[in-house]
Amino acid sequence: MAEHLMTLGEVHTALLRNSTAVSTTDTEALLDLVQGRRVRRSERPIAHAQSPDRHIGVDCALAGTGARVRGVGTVCTRATITGGHVAQASAYVRVVRGDAGRRLPWSHYLAAPGTIETIGKIDAASITDAMLRGEPGEALNLDAIGNRTLDQVQLDHRLDHRPAFRTARTRLRWAAGPGESTTLSFSLDDPTTRTLRLPRTDLDDRATAAFCEDLALHDWLLTTLLTMVESRPAGSARADTVARIRPAIDFLLHLWMPAARTDPALQELWRDVERRPGFTRQWRVNVDRIRDQLALATIERLGR
């Protein structure tokens, strides 16, 4: 068996470009990205649908190497819709050390979907660091693959393209596997980009990717809520504040269910996230702020 060097991935998260929650029928149509393969759906504890995996062939340099190190294989990409409101696209790949020292026929790589084999001497740590910094150049570009998958969903004619409010698309870059830290590390690189380093795990790549998708979803929810709560201009009327945070009540608050679909063996990773940076603590604090604003608005209206 080829040596597993690392698993790399990116998750893009955005508000679905529709004025209302999409129906079950439209959700399945939006995620029907691979002909002949069914969309996976669940309704508990919250509506969630996932497209079939699609595999994109790549033959390119790998980032972070002084010499040109080549990778050949396929990248796995898929899209999800949660609660009828939030769309995500994920692109991830397992990188293994190639033994042949040369490019093999495509049939060889197609036998291991979602896997890239290296050609040439490789420094796994430098590739991981470069990918997490977002420096693909002309090399492996998971960002482009994930964006293209999400755009395919967002541009579908079944959507009315009138989102209920404006919010940014976020991106989570992640890496897992041998050579990584023994503890989870999550960082905010800029207002829309996050980096996640996962400890070594023997779980399959799909379970790890699903954990990262769930983490990206809740980071997007928290980021969007913070933007709404903290964007009140000085001196603005209470009614304006309530109008600004109303989409949070209508579209976001009921979606907060961390680890609802996480593989049981990865629950400890969610506990790490809750300890630091403490997603749920920050979420609850800001939900309380919203409720306080609503209470004050009600008191002011009754006073008038």
Side-chain angles (χ1 to χ4, degrees):
M1 181 180 294
E3 179 188 358
H4 175 202
L5 298 174
M6 73 204 79
T7 302
L8 304 169
E10 288 208 13
V11 186
H12 297 260
T13 308
L15 183 69
L16 197 61
R17 292 172 55 85
N18 206 60
S19 57
T20 61
V22 293
S23 67
T24 299
T25 300
D26 283 343
T27 296
E28 291 194 358
L30 288 167
L31 298 179
D32 187 17
L33 304 183
V34 181
Q35 189 172 6
R37 301 274 302 279
R38 71 180 183 88
V39 174
R40 302 175 63 184
R41 292 179 47 247
S42 61
E43 298 297 330
R44 303 289 185 272
I46 193 169
H48 178 80
Q50 179 179 292
S51 76
D53 292 346
R54 183 166 58 188
H55 296 97
I56 309 298
V58 295
D59 182 348
C60 58
L62 295 177
T65 53
R68 182 177 175 85
V69 177
R70 190 173 169 189
V72 186
T74 60
V75 173
C76 181
T77 183
R78 63 193 186 196
T80 64
I81 295 176
T82 303
H85 291 300
V86 184
Q88 292 183 284
S90 183
Y92 64 93
V93 65
R94 169 180 288 238
V95 181
V96 301
R97 192 183 304 276
D99 297 325
R102 58 183 175 82
R103 190 185 185 285
L104 300 173
W106 265 114
S107 57
H108 169 79
Y109 303 107
L110 294 176
T115 302
I116 284 178
E117 288 190 17
T118 63
I119 301 175
K121 188 176 180 180
I122 184 170
D123 181 351
S126 66
I127 290 179
T128 299
D129 291 343
M131 293 299 293
L132 291 179
R133 289 194 302 267
E135 301 176 2
E138 297 180 356
L140 177 65
N141 195 337
L142 299 180
D143 175 63
I145 295 173
N147 263 318
R148 187 162 61 245
T149 299
L150 185 53
D151 287 344
Q152 183 174 346
V153 174
Q154 293 282 49
L155 297 175
D156 193 282
H157 67 87
R158 297 171 185 85
L159 302 177
D160 61 25
H161 304 289
R162 293 186 290 108
F165 59 95
R166 296 179 63 85
T167 184
R169 178 184 293 194
T170 60
R171 172 176 55 195
L172 172 71
R173 301 188 184 110
W174 60 271
E180 287 303 302
S181 167
T182 57
T183 58
L184 178 147
S185 172
F186 177 80
S187 61
L188 305 179
D189 300 336
D190 60 45
T192 60
T193 305
R194 289 81 173 93
T195 297
L196 176 68
R197 291 178 180 266
L198 294 168
R200 179 174 181 172
T201 174
D202 295 329
L203 292 175
D204 65 30
D205 299 331
R206 286 180 58 86
T208 306
F211 165 79
C212 293
E213 289 162 358
D214 198 25
L215 178 60
L217 168 66
H218 287 83
D219 170 73
W220 179 88
L221 288 171
L222 181 57
T223 300
T224 304
L225 187 71
L226 288 171
T227 300
M228 290 180 178
V229 171
E230 296 175 354
S231 62
R232 179 184 180 185
S236 61
R238 186 78 58 187
D240 294 336
T241 301
V242 171
R244 189 164 46 254
I245 62 178
R246 180 173 178 174
I249 301 168
D250 293 339
F251 293 88
L252 304 181
L253 298 190
H254 65 288
L255 300 180
W256 189 263
M257 294 187 184
R261 293 179 304 277
T262 298
D263 188 294
L266 283 171
Q267 292 289 336
E268 182 58 35
L269 294 179
W270 256 115
R271 287 190 280 271
D272 288 344
V273 172
E274 296 293 20
R275 282 192 291 266
R276 189 181 61 184
F279 272 33
T280 297
R281 288 196 303 273
Q282 193 174 12
W283 176 263
R284 288 173 178 166
V285 165
N286 284 280
V287 169
D288 287 344
R289 290 177 66 186
I290 287 175
R291 289 172 177 159
D292 290 344
Q293 292 289 346
L294 294 175
L296 288 171
T298 301
I299 291 170
E300 288 181 1
R301 180 172 295 181
L302 290 174
R304 290 196 297 270

